[in-house]
Amino acid sequence: MIRVLFVCLGNICRSPMAEAVFRDLVKKKNLQHIIEIDSAGTGNYHIGKSPHKGTLHILEQNSISSEGMKARQVKEEDLGNFDYIIGMDAENIGNLHRLARYNKTGYIGRLLDFVPQGKVDDVPDPYFTGNFEEVYDLVKEGCARLLDEIILKDLKKEEIQ
Ligand code: 4NP
């Protein structure tokens, strides 16, 4: 099993969007029995809340399920339990490294690091910009590249149908 955790600040805008988009891509490749997906926030402001209406709206527009998602805060043990801990921006990555201290963790990196020659490195926070379309396009590209990388690196040929 490969475990992927998407992380942003509030876990209501970007990381739930990435979780839903990535789950949709994984399902379309019939890899849902091999790849486990979750999301969390470094902050505790919105614990237990549903995703932001902007995130819900764009997912619905693109026929992607947002069922059952509730915000939670990232825990120290997540860092050892997940193989890929994917932050949306540099601040998330700094917070994740601080939480990890010197413990062994899965890979910690930014989503857009998987996009070669991308225009931006951080997924902008739509909670402040209001631009959920821009975020959706970046998240979609990043998730597609991340899945390509996981397939290439981690999955044995016979597991791919
Ligand atoms: P997210 O956006 O990190 O993409 O979920 C945010 C949501 C809420 C807040 C900040 C960012 N907040 O400060 O409440």
Side-chain angles (χ1 to χ4, degrees):
M1 195 63 122
I2 307 293
R3 294 185 171 85
V4 181
L5 180 70
F6 293 99
V7 176
C8 63
L9 175 57
N11 193 215
I12 55 167
C13 299
R14 294 166 295 174
S15 62
M17 194 191 293
E19 177 188 344
V21 166
F22 196 69
R23 180 165 285 124
D24 186 65
L25 290 172
V26 163
K27 208 168 162 191
K28 282 178 177 147
K29 288 206 191 280
N30 205 17
L31 294 171
Q32 64 273 24
H33 55 297
I34 300 171
I35 302 179
E36 204 175 282
I37 309 153
D38 197 2
S39 68
T42 58
N44 62 1
Y45 328 107
H46 301 284
I47 294 173
K49 287 201 196 141
S50 297
H52 190 286
K53 61 180 185 323
T55 288
L56 294 175
H57 180 66
I58 202 113
L59 290 173
E60 195 188 332
Q61 272 185 334
N62 289 280
S63 310
I64 295 174
S65 171
S66 56
E67 212 186 308
M69 288 196 288
K70 292 278 179 274
R72 74 170 180 91
Q73 190 172 24
V74 65
K75 307 182 286 264
E76 199 177 323
E77 69 222 53
D78 287 324
L79 305 175
N81 290 341
F82 285 87
D83 304 290
Y84 290 85
I85 301 126
I86 306 296
M88 298 296 127
D89 62 29
E91 190 186 320
N92 305 149
I93 300 300
N95 286 329
L96 287 168
H97 282 302
R98 261 191 296 283
L99 184 65
R101 291 176 289 174
Y102 296 103
N103 294 322
K104 193 173 179 311
T105 70
Y107 168 89
I108 296 175
R110 270 186 297 194
L111 181 65
L112 298 181
D113 290 344
F114 291 89
V115 181
Q117 289 148 13
K119 287 196 194 83
V120 289
D121 297 326
D122 288 338
V123 180
D125 196 336
Y127 191 75
F128 301 109
T129 68
N131 193 343
F132 285 84
E133 282 84 8
E134 174 196 30
V135 169
Y136 178 76
D137 290 343
L138 291 169
V139 160
K140 200 173 131 186
E141 178 72 11
C143 283
R145 301 295 188 144
L146 172 64
L147 184 54
D148 287 347
E149 178 88 3
I150 290 174
I151 289 172
L152 201 69
K153 267 203 178 154
D154 300 304
L155 303 187
K156 292 189 218 86
K157 278 206 181 73
E158 64 265 27
E159 288 175 327
I160 303 164
Q161 295 172 9

